Amino acid sequence: MPNSSSISEFLLLPLADTRQLQLLHFWLLLGIYLAALLGNGLISTAVACDRRLHTPMYFFLLNLALLDLGCISTTLPKAMANALWDTRAISYAGCAAQLFFFAFFLAAEFSLLTIMSYDRYVAICKPLHYRTLMDSRACATMAAAAWGAGLLNSLLHTASTFSLPLCQGNVVNQFFCEIPQFLKLSCPGSYLRELVLVIFSASLLFGCFVFIVVSYVKIFMAVLRMPSEQGRHKAFSTCLPHLAVVSLFLCTAFFAYLKPPSISSPLLDLTVALVYTVVPPTLNPLIYSMRNREIKYAYRKVMQHALFQLQ
């Protein structure tokens, strides 16, 4: 059997068995990818260009859009290329880079979602202290910490995963290089170190999730005490989308990384991976801007400016 030193490339899971379905999947993924690029690009441009959006909430939203762009750009382009050219191969270095960047964006995004829940907690539960606790320096420090946590996570997991001896071939049963699939390729008993790292990372993520839940419990209690119905509506419309994104993102990611091997199958693994890698980056721009008047106004300004430049 091949070991890790003799493997020069890996074979990814094909999205379909027939050429017609491969091309159909290519066009579907291309549409999803372009929608994610457009949505997150518009949010980034709107927040960067509109001074009214230079607030902590929109600063973190800008960071979230950039992380979403990075996350979906790590997985989909290679899957689309493989579907278009009817191939499954990815180089050893390309696979390592894909795993590194995906682990980076995944951890950084969830860290940022945790920070965003704290921002909403301070804004609603401690409004008099908001400017002090969430000044520009504090926001920059927290955003840098989220990106730094993602970098540390990716370095640890990539180094640990690609130091494993591989005894089960080079076929990765996923459309991108994913840690759980690499554990299946490793020699028996050699993956305990990486498994400990996965469990440790999952524990940290669960701790973040508990923090988010506690924050929202306090937020909703404070919102229900608001005398103004308009104030309650605005608070709920701001917080509920964020909670929906976190729940979808975390539940599917936990299921992908911690599900028992007995319930694993290529179709189930593929479906879950598509949900937690493709759906949040695509839907986040819609969720955060669909009912946000300030974002919509900034969109109109960006579009009007772009049309004016074309004339």
Side-chain angles (χ1 to χ4, degrees):
M1 292 184 182
N3 57 38
S4 54
S5 61
S6 64
I7 293 176
S8 61
E9 67 177 18
F10 294 95
L11 299 178
L12 299 176
L13 181 70
L15 296 176
D17 297 327
T18 65
R19 186 61 183 148
Q20 291 78 7
L21 283 177
Q22 284 180 337
L23 292 176
L24 176 62
H25 285 144
F26 166 76
W27 289 111
L28 287 174
L29 292 179
L30 179 61
I32 293 171
Y33 185 57
L34 291 178
L37 290 182
L38 178 63
N40 288 290
L42 279 174
I43 283 184
S44 302
T45 305
V47 174
C49 296
D50 194 333
R51 290 186 177 181
R52 298 195 312 165
L53 301 183
H54 292 179
T55 64
M57 183 177 77
Y58 294 110
F59 170 72
F60 294 133
L61 186 57
L62 168 63
N63 280 266
L64 181 65
L66 295 176
L67 289 171
D68 280 337
L69 285 173
C71 187
I72 200 167
S73 296
T74 301
T75 57
L76 280 198
K78 183 58 180 176
M80 289 189 295
N82 283 357
L84 181 62
W85 301 112
D86 190 21
T87 182
R88 300 173 55 189
I90 182 172
S91 67
Y92 189 93
C95 193
Q98 196 173 59
L99 190 148
F100 173 85
F101 284 111
F102 183 73
F104 168 62
F105 289 120
L106 193 71
E109 180 159 339
F110 196 74
S111 300
L112 189 68
L113 290 171
T114 306
I115 292 169
M116 291 173 72
S117 72
Y118 174 73
D119 171 69
R120 292 299 85 206
Y121 164 75
V122 176
I124 294 173
C125 299
K126 300 180 181 296
L128 298 179
H129 301 283
Y130 186 73
R131 290 184 178 276
T132 303
L133 295 175
M134 303 299 295
D135 60 9
S136 58
R137 183 174 181 178
C139 292
T141 301
M142 286 187 280
W147 290 80
L151 179 61
L152 179 61
N153 177 77
S154 63
L155 286 172
L156 290 174
H157 281 291
T158 305
S160 177
T161 301
F162 279 85
S163 65
L164 295 174
L166 304 181
C167 300
Q168 308 299 326
N170 66 334
V171 179
V172 179
N173 287 320
Q174 190 54 273
F175 73 96
F176 68 100
C177 293
E178 187 186 37
I179 292 174
Q181 301 304 325
F182 267 87
L183 298 185
K184 295 179 182 179
L185 299 180
S186 63
C187 300
S190 65
Y191 58 83
L192 292 180
R193 181 178 57 187
E194 174 58 23
L195 186 61
V196 169
L197 268 179
V198 169
I199 294 174
F200 177 71
S201 297
S203 300
L204 291 179
L205 291 181
F206 183 74
C208 292
F209 181 67
V210 171
F211 178 86
I212 292 171
V213 170
V214 172
S215 298
Y216 275 103
V217 168
K218 293 183 178 181
I219 287 172
F220 293 146
M221 290 175 62
V223 168
L224 292 175
R225 290 196 296 266
M226 289 181 177
S228 168
E229 183 178 348
Q230 183 178 2
R232 291 197 299 270
H233 179 268
K234 182 177 180 180
F236 277 123
S237 66
T238 302
C239 296
L240 287 177
H242 178 229
L243 190 58
V245 171
V246 171
S247 300
L248 176 66
F249 181 64
L250 183 69
C251 292
T252 52
F254 267 158
F255 185 78
Y257 281 78
L258 299 179
K259 68 181 183 299
S262 58
I263 63 172
S264 179
S265 70
L267 180 59
L268 178 63
D269 292 345
L270 177 63
T271 303
V272 172
L274 283 171
V275 170
Y276 83 88
T277 60
V278 174
V279 174
T282 307
L283 292 186
N284 273 347
L286 291 175
I287 290 173
Y288 281 102
S289 63
M290 191 164 46
R291 301 180 65 182
N292 191 308
R293 293 180 180 178
E294 294 175 323
I295 286 285
K296 288 180 180 179
Y297 177 75
Y299 281 169
R300 285 195 294 268
K301 286 183 62 178
V302 169
M303 296 304 294
Q304 289 171 359
H305 180 73
L307 291 173
F308 177 78
Q309 293 294 326
L310 291 175
Q311 293 177 354

